Amino acid sequence: MSEPNDTPADDTLQTDEQPADDQPVEQSDEQPADSDQPTEQSDEPAEQAGEQAEQGDGGSEQSAEQAPPDSAETHTSIRDGFLAFSRPLEGRVPWTYLDIKGLVTTGVGNLIDPVGLALKLPFVHKGDGSPASEVEIRAEWQRLKDDQSLAQKGYKACEGITELRLTDAAIDQIVLTKFDGNDRVLRQAFSNWSDWPADAQLGAHSIAWAGAGFPTKWTNFRTAAEARDWKTAAAQSHIDETGNPGVKQRNAANAQLFHNAEVVESSDLDRATLHYPQML
């Protein structure tokens, strides 16, 4: 993912708050720290599911408030809290901008590159809220893409030079639809997913949002998670920060989530309860 850091005072999403840091903090093609992981970006299932969700495939008409289908194995607290969890890690930006790798991005670190992803989104004109046409969306997307200097200027540099916006409802829909796609993949990828504490499930969703090749190519993490060895899983949840130091905050959150999961199991606490951001 590719958004600047913004730490709100509470979990309430404020539409008029924008990330305080001018530099994007995450990339969609970050790699795990595991030494046995490949360095190229993967086309593994979690990424495919997320991309399909952004393109409008696999349930894009679903309401953001509606629970995803076949979700009994995932604790409801995870989806309910995902927007609030993601806000301080990704920010919330209603216009398009370039991340630090020059990829067009919007929302809560949602890549819309190539342009076909942008054309599926319900952009409106910032002046009167009227729907934008595909021609207008394409033109604005291309204008930003052609100016790669914007990648080093931060998301705020694009606010004044863009005309199109996403509504709060549209941003929520994009995020939760992608969440649902990732959730389907994660439930299939881990045979004991339903046994995981809520903090561990959120940790996996956090990696799926930002870590390339997850979960397929994260072999060390997968081994630890299948064994419910949350201490090792915490160590193997680290996303490479090279060239993208802002991802440090997500790495810290991931480590805390898996630490909490270890405490939940060792202390026989309720696995359905999400304890984060509290440290157990």
Side-chain angles (χ1 to χ4, degrees):
M1 295 298 98
S2 51
E3 252 317 283
N5 180 24
D6 176 30
T7 306
D10 54 38
D11 286 343
T12 302
L13 299 181
Q14 301 296 327
T15 61
D16 57 351
E17 286 184 14
Q18 297 302 336
D21 187 348
D22 282 342
Q23 295 303 319
V25 302
E26 295 185 8
Q27 296 299 326
S28 61
D29 56 357
E30 287 299 338
Q31 300 299 330
D34 311 53
S35 60
D36 63 347
Q37 301 300 334
T39 57
E40 73 276 7
Q41 184 169 354
S42 165
D43 59 354
E44 58 81 29
E47 290 184 354
Q48 291 176 346
E51 180 174 305
Q52 289 171 357
E54 289 182 0
Q55 288 178 320
D57 296 333
S60 63
E61 299 302 318
Q62 174 183 338
S63 167
E65 290 77 22
Q66 180 183 350
D70 302 321
S71 61
E73 296 179 347
T74 300
H75 301 299
T76 57
S77 57
I78 306 307
R79 191 176 191 268
D80 291 345
F82 191 73
L83 284 164
F85 170 78
S86 298
R87 175 66 182 269
L89 303 179
E90 295 280 0
R92 187 178 177 93
V93 181
W95 58 85
T96 53
Y97 64 95
L98 297 190
D99 69 10
I100 60 176
K101 292 195 173 182
L103 300 174
V104 185
T105 309
T106 191
V108 184
N110 297 98
L111 290 179
I112 49 171
D113 200 325
V115 69
L117 297 176
L119 297 178
K120 299 294 185 179
L121 300 185
F123 282 101
V124 298
H125 292 274
K126 65 181 180 182
D128 60 9
S130 61
S133 68
E134 287 194 2
V135 171
E136 291 169 326
I137 295 171
R138 184 184 295 275
E140 185 155 286
W141 187 98
Q142 194 64 56
R143 184 156 47 83
L144 297 187
K145 188 69 173 178
D146 288 344
D147 186 0
Q148 287 293 300
S149 69
L150 293 170
Q152 303 304 317
K153 295 179 180 179
Y155 75 101
K156 289 182 179 177
C158 297
E159 180 178 12
I161 62 174
T162 52
E163 163 65 23
L164 306 182
R165 298 288 186 268
L166 290 174
T167 65
D168 273 345
I171 293 174
D172 288 353
Q173 179 70 56
I174 294 164
V175 172
L176 292 177
T177 300
K178 182 171 181 178
F179 173 95
D180 293 344
N182 284 345
D183 193 66
R184 286 189 289 272
V185 172
L186 293 172
R187 285 186 279 114
Q188 294 173 3
F190 295 100
S191 63
N192 58 350
W193 176 259
S194 61
D195 297 328
W196 291 19
D199 285 76
Q201 289 185 349
L202 181 56
H205 266 286
S206 175
I207 305 172
W209 195 266
F214 186 81
T216 302
K217 295 188 176 182
W218 289 51
T219 54
N220 293 345
F221 177 90
R222 286 171 60 84
T223 299
E226 289 285 359
R228 303 220 307 267
D229 177 359
W230 302 122
K231 184 175 182 179
T232 301
Q236 297 299 332
S237 67
H238 188 85
I239 300 171
D240 187 3
E241 297 172 13
T242 304
N244 193 18
V247 80
K248 179 183 291 186
Q249 187 176 2
R250 184 178 290 277
N251 282 333
N254 293 346
Q256 181 179 338
L257 284 162
F258 292 115
H259 165 81
N260 282 359
E262 180 185 20
V263 175
V264 167
E265 294 209 345
S266 64
S267 302
D268 198 24
L269 301 178
D270 180 17
R271 299 185 185 198
T273 299
L274 176 64
H275 296 279
Y276 184 91
Q278 175 187 357
M279 173 72 84
L280 296 179

